[in-house]
Amino acid sequence: MERLLLVALGALVAATVVAGCGSPDDPSQDDLQAGSQSVHPEVWPEISSPIGLDPEIERRIDALLEVMTVEDKVGQVIQGEIRNLTPEDVRRYRLGSVLNGGGVQPHGKRWATVGDWLALADEFWEASMDTSDGGLAIPAIWGTDAVHGHANVRGATVFPQNIGLGAARDPELIREIGRITAVEIAVTGLDWDFSPTVAVVRDDRWGRSYESWSEDPEIARAYAGEMVRGLQGVAGTGDFLGDAHVAACTKHFLGDGGTTGGIDRGDNLATEAELRDIHGAGYVSALDAGVQTVMASFSSWQGRKMHGHRGLLTDVLKDRMGFDGFVVGDWNGHADVPGCSSSSCPTAFNAGIDMFMAPEDWRPLLKNTIKQATTGVIPMDRLDDAVRRILRVKMRTGLFDKGTPSSRPLAGRTDLLGSADHRAVARRAVRESLVLLKNNGGILPLDPSRTVLVAGDGADNIGKQCGGWTLTWQGTDTTNDDFPGASSIWDGIRSVVEGAGGTAVLSEEGGFDGTPDVAVVVYGENPYAEFQGDRETLDYGFTRPDDAKLLDTLHRAGIPVVSIFLSGRPLWVNPELNASDAFVAAWLPGSEGDGVAEVIFRSPDGAVQHDFTGRLAHSWPGTAARTRLNRGDAGDDPLFPFGFGLSAADRVDFDRLPENPGEIMTETGRTIFFSAGPVAPWRLFVGDARNRAVKTVGGAATTWDRDNLVVTPVDRDRQEDARAARWAGYELAYLYLGATRAVDLSAEAAAGLALVFDVLVEEAPSAPVFLAMRCGEGCDGRVDITEVLAANPGEGWFTVRVPLRRLADSGADLAHVTAPFVLETEGAVALRFAEVRLEPAVGDVVE
């Protein structure tokens, strides 16, 4: 398949709008642009499934439905998470599906082997097929988030994240990545991949921007069908859903990439025409390819949660667009529908959710759904329709006939997991995804025979170059040992340079003895996923100012500097660009970091080995203040436009760019410090008196000496939206939210605001606990909250309020706050906290 040509994209967009919308005179156009929550199915595309209904499968389904009890049927529409159920639960309750969420492996073993995966898959399959109690044999289907390779499995091939693949403009590559991912999933005995994500991001502050191929819907349209064909095989052929393929899941329906402010799980205010033409583009090609499942979005459209939107889930997707597979909810997404909870939501089911994803509360949800189906709250024909769809997919994928997962042809083929051939495709993907943004003096590609200093915290950090959804949900708290067979960017540079007779030196901090010929600095965003990656500003240096300082130090020393920038989105990096002679957007390249070296260095004979062919699929911001910047938007003024990318032969030198980011402390960051995670620019740290060094708390537990303080992400209202903190009491330890720049809260104090946070005390304190606010070295104000915490152990969540004036009276300089929230103690205590903010001071200390 030929690579997409940039010049064709504009014509494709125009053709799509004409073909999909009807004529401009269509009387429904006024309604489409009016912002109504109602939908008009007749203006959405009609799609003929390439599969069609198989009469034999439908007869088998009829026969099963005839003998299934209500309990049997409801069991099929429930999906629990493997941490929270057992094979015996599947057997007893006839559950239809299980999943492993991001960062979840069998029995909690991060280094779970292929054998571990297969053994547990066998147990679930056998439990679902056990008829010893008179139940029916209906195989459970296991779903997994293999969104850039089978990245929950140690040793698997990890491909570049979607944002990099969008820059490659190579649909054929996308199909091959899908095929390889399916093979590696099959090796572990699983059946179903929650991929591809076809979101079209409109605001790069969104924490899932890297899961979007492009801001342009035509790239989503060109890629989605190919990824589905790679995962499932080509519909209408004998290879379709065969032994080397798995069911695909297009997500998140619909509009997740277009929420206001780039807020994950927020509200998309697009018109119906925009929703269809921009956010629906990927679904058209995915349905054309015969995708078997679709996942509903956490987000809303014009105020209505997608999990409860019958007009879009049923009237549009199923009835108009002809989707005959099943719709699965996202992680407790039904709980966000008004009137619902994680354990009860007939509204979502009646709207068109066919399978609830209920990781923890599957048991009460099962009970309540049975009752609702029995009493008619859920009509029986709606339940039968959902079960029919689920059984149809299970039969099409051959689950009734394949036997135990470990008995299938590719099961246990460890030679295929992370194989050399698979990694070669991943390296190709890395090479094609690199976008050269600056190359003053034609410094790239480099001569490998020279002395090369390699610096930056991303140089020898495979986890950082992979990003989120890699071994852990957030992609944090990994080491290179977690990635056998993979290569860091440093590994690749060292191999190329030493192979050509040059010298490569690694120094993360940029130190050197003899002056190197060139410095390659690898740096960028630390891993994140979902809402924990939402940003208030696109100013990269706002939260990571030290990288620009390192670049500037090397630049001032007269050393040519090449930046390799790792990020899940375009960011305002003018200071970093100014301090670099060359700048490469490497995105999140995955496990094969050596693909970077294959492009940035010449061959030993001086020839260009692989040219820079990547082109921006997301416009690059020219200011820190601009938040929505998309091809064709009014006032479009990017620093680097959609489609930009230099080749090695281009000779374009850039002048110095302005470095003033403007006002970047947003109102949100001034009054909300922690909401489901630290709010930019604040970051969460821990420390103790004996070791004054501090460590940023990532997505998983962070420990200090002798586990004196352990901080762990936990669920309160949604996934990992709170933190649990446990002090052992060996010595003073503290956690705090801090930033590199101070904030003036004097006006907020004058307005009578208080520092407020929600807390749940698990174990009462054994020594005084202080809530503090810091204002620089040796400057803080502290209030003793021991009595409040000691009075409420095990009593559930409550709210603590401390007026800012009290913190000022105890020593805090509110005109220069560097850490607005500090919890410290020398004793033992265990608590959970969430939602740290400023609010009016109603009462004092506790409400």
Side-chain angles (χ1 to χ4, degrees), residues 282-437:
Y283 294 92
V284 173
S285 64
L287 291 171
D288 274 335
V291 68
Q292 290 299 286
T293 68
V294 170
M295 184 180 292
S297 178
F298 280 118
S299 60
S300 304
W301 179 54
Q302 297 185 3
R304 185 181 298 177
K305 281 293 180 182
M306 279 303 310
H307 275 68
H309 206 303
R310 177 180 171 83
L312 288 168
L313 292 175
T314 297
D315 299 343
V316 169
L317 177 62
K318 295 179 178 179
D319 295 344
R320 176 66 176 183
M321 300 179 78
F323 175 60
D324 64 6
F326 69 85
V327 175
V328 62
D330 207 339
W331 189 282
N332 281 332
H334 56 277
D336 293 335
V337 175
C340 291
S341 68
S342 60
S343 59
S344 177
C345 194
T347 303
F349 194 78
N350 288 338
I353 299 295
D354 299 307
M355 180 181 285
F356 289 112
M357 185 184 291
E360 301 101 352
D361 292 335
W362 61 267
R363 196 185 305 263
L365 180 63
L366 175 79
K367 179 180 178 181
N368 287 325
T369 306
I370 290 172
K371 180 178 180 181
Q372 290 150 6
T374 302
T375 60
V377 175
I378 294 175
M380 191 55 62
D381 60 354
R382 169 78 270 265
L383 179 59
D384 284 348
D385 173 64
V387 176
R388 176 177 294 276
R389 290 170 175 274
I390 292 166
L391 294 178
R392 182 182 293 142
V393 171
K394 290 182 176 182
M395 290 181 184
R396 284 175 174 170
T397 54
L399 293 187
F400 281 84
D401 311 309
K402 285 183 175 179
T404 59
S406 65
S407 70
R408 299 169 191 169
L410 297 186
R413 289 282 306 276
T414 55
D415 59 307
L416 295 175
L417 189 74
S419 71
D421 288 345
H422 293 179
R423 293 185 185 277
V425 174
R427 284 198 305 278
R428 169 189 164 193
V430 174
R431 295 193 301 267
E432 292 185 14
S433 69
L434 301 179
V435 180
L436 181 60
L437 297 179

Side-chain angles (χ1 to χ4, degrees), residues 436-733:
L436 181 60
L437 297 179
K438 180 179 180 181
N439 195 24
N440 282 10
I443 184 174
L444 292 179
L446 298 169
D447 179 352
S449 67
R450 311 300 292 275
T451 298
V452 181
L453 170 67
V454 182
D457 69 339
D460 194 26
N461 189 332
I462 298 173
K464 181 167 179 137
Q465 73 192 35
C466 287
W469 300 105
T470 311
L471 288 181
T472 69
W473 174 39
Q474 294 293 312
T476 53
D477 300 287
T478 62
T479 70
N480 287 358
D481 289 339
D482 290 317
F483 301 93
S487 59
S488 68
I489 294 172
W490 156 248
D491 290 331
I493 292 174
R494 176 175 55 184
S495 176
V496 168
V497 171
E498 292 181 353
T503 300
V505 178
L506 176 66
S507 172
E508 181 176 316
E509 298 78 16
F512 55 88
D513 293 327
T515 303
D517 296 308
V518 65
V520 177
V521 186
V522 188
Y523 60 98
E525 291 187 291
N526 287 326
Y528 52 82
E530 297 194 56
F531 52 85
Q532 295 201 21
D534 287 356
R535 294 180 65 108
E536 287 288 335
T537 171
L538 292 179
D539 178 9
Y540 171 71
F542 192 34
T543 54
R544 290 185 61 89
D546 291 341
D547 292 322
K549 294 176 184 177
L550 170 59
L551 297 171
D552 192 59
T553 297
L554 294 168
H555 191 70
R556 290 178 182 275
I559 301 169
V561 175
V562 175
S563 278
I564 307 297
F565 188 56
L566 304 174
S567 73
R569 57 193 134 203
L571 291 165
W572 187 78
V573 288
N574 284 16
E576 291 79 7
L577 280 161
N578 285 336
S580 304
D581 296 279
F583 192 100
V584 178
W587 313 112
L588 299 169
S591 61
E592 308 312 299
D594 47 2
V596 174
E598 292 175 356
V599 179
I600 68 170
F601 286 95
R602 296 180 180 273
S603 62
D605 63 4
V608 175
Q609 296 187 83
H610 299 281
D611 203 354
F612 288 93
T613 59
R615 300 295 180 260
L616 289 179
H618 300 69
S619 303
W620 198 280
T623 71
R626 189 70 184 267
T627 54
R628 286 180 68 97
L629 185 65
N630 300 298
R631 183 173 184 240
D633 282 356
D636 185 5
D637 59 347
L639 177 62
F640 301 112
F642 176 93
F644 180 85
L646 300 173
S647 66
D650 290 328
R651 292 293 177 263
V652 180
D653 284 2
F654 290 94
D655 295 331
R656 189 171 183 83
L657 299 167
E659 294 189 2
N660 181 7
E663 179 61 38
I664 54 177
M665 171 62 78
T666 66
E667 287 306 308
T668 300
R670 290 184 63 85
T671 59
I672 301 177
F673 309 126
F674 184 100
S675 181
V679 174
W682 310 107
R683 291 184 291 165
L684 187 58
F685 298 88
V686 296
D688 59 36
R690 194 163 57 87
N691 181 356
R692 297 302 299 179
V694 294
K695 182 176 182 181
T696 302
V697 177
T702 298
T703 62
W704 281 85
D705 186 40
R706 294 183 295 166
D707 294 340
N708 192 30
L709 172 57
V710 178
V711 177
T712 311
V714 292
D715 299 349
R716 183 191 182 189
D717 297 322
R718 56 178 175 162
Q719 192 176 7
E720 297 193 3
D721 61 346
R723 296 293 182 271
R726 179 177 294 274
W727 283 260
Y730 302 132
E731 60 186 2
L732 175 69

